[in-house]
Amino acid sequence: MLANLKITEYLEKAAEGTAVPGGGSVAALNASLAASLIEMVANLTIGKKGYEAVAEKMNDIVAETNELRKKLTAAIDRDAEAYSEVMAAFKLPKATDQEKEFRKQEIQRAFKHAALVPMEVAKQAVKVIDLAGRAIAGGNKNAVTDGVVAAMNARTAALAALYNVKINLGSIEDDEFVKKLAREINVLEQEAKSKEQEILASVII
């Protein structure tokens, strides 16, 4: 599993001339790193003098980011697996009309799955940006830059994941499916950008 590799091993794997892991997997990794940083900010706040009033909120942030981190870590492999399904579908036999039709259906199914996985990563990454804002607003001021780095990483992860959705939509023939995801992409892109800007504008260093 990609998520179980050492950092150096993952980087070597990403650098190889193979299709996986690709941008979608890296987007999930970035988002999980962002969630980890927010969890750290919250943990650095809990139990610290002067932050007693926000302890409960920080505990909530720890719980939420912990859950998101686990989902996003799993997506590091899920994205790679989804694209592997696309490649496998293209390798299916096409000697007969029946084989051609089955191959076409499998390709379409695989492309839809390959679009839905990064779409979920993007949605989770936007949630991570929200959590970064909450952690920065009430958390340990000595860790504010860690929260900012988390917000920036999560924004990059969201946009990166959405680009992976977009490229898959170009190969999907289901118009309603494509239109639905295209609408969601537009909303999430704006949310990711605006939420990050709000956070950056609120921080004075």
Side-chain angles (χ1 to χ4, degrees):
M1 290 178 63
L2 295 170
N4 291 336
L5 295 176
K6 295 179 181 178
I7 293 173
T8 51
E9 291 173 339
Y10 183 91
L11 295 175
E12 288 292 335
K13 192 112 181 120
E16 292 174 0
T18 55
V20 292
S25 177
V26 171
L29 174 59
N30 262 337
S32 62
L33 286 169
S36 297
L37 273 177
I38 299 163
E39 205 170 333
M40 181 192 80
V41 173
N43 278 319
L44 284 172
T45 306
I46 298 166
K48 295 296 188 295
K49 185 178 180 179
Y51 293 97
E52 294 85 357
V54 296
E56 187 176 346
K57 290 181 181 179
M58 291 298 134
N59 276 310
D60 289 343
I61 289 172
V62 167
E64 290 180 58
T65 50
N66 184 275
E67 183 180 352
L68 281 169
R69 175 166 56 85
K70 289 176 181 177
K71 289 179 179 178
L72 289 161
T73 301
I76 295 170
D77 281 286
R78 286 182 62 228
D79 185 89
E81 290 163 2
Y83 192 72
S84 293
E85 288 177 13
V86 172
M87 294 188 292
F90 272 103
K91 292 177 182 178
L92 288 171
K94 49 182 178 178
T96 67
D97 288 342
Q98 186 177 6
E99 287 178 343
K100 288 177 183 177
E101 182 59 29
F102 178 74
R103 177 176 176 271
K104 179 181 178 181
Q105 290 176 3
E106 283 299 293
I107 289 171
Q108 286 299 302
R109 181 197 61 76
F111 269 124
K112 284 184 176 181
H113 187 214
L116 290 172
V117 172
M119 176 61 81
E120 189 60 30
V121 168
K123 290 176 181 178
Q124 291 166 350
V126 171
K127 290 180 182 178
V128 172
I129 303 173
D130 279 329
L131 288 162
R134 287 164 54 190
I136 290 168
N140 193 322
K141 297 305 178 187
N142 293 321
V144 65
T145 53
D146 299 296
V148 171
V149 170
M152 291 190 290
N153 259 3
R155 177 259 193 188
T156 298
L159 297 184
L162 290 172
Y163 267 84
N164 278 270
V165 179
K166 288 179 183 180
I167 196 166
N168 286 305
L169 291 186
S171 300
I172 297 172
E173 297 174 0
D174 184 337
D175 289 340
E176 286 304 311
F177 181 91
V178 171
K179 287 176 183 177
K180 179 178 180 295
L181 264 64
R183 288 193 296 269
E184 291 182 12
I185 287 170
N186 290 333
V187 172
L188 288 168
E189 280 184 338
Q190 292 307 311
E191 283 188 6
K193 292 175 183 177
S194 62
K195 288 177 187 294
E196 183 209 30
Q197 287 304 310
E198 286 174 14
I199 290 170
L200 295 180
S202 72
V203 175
I204 301 174
I205 300 174

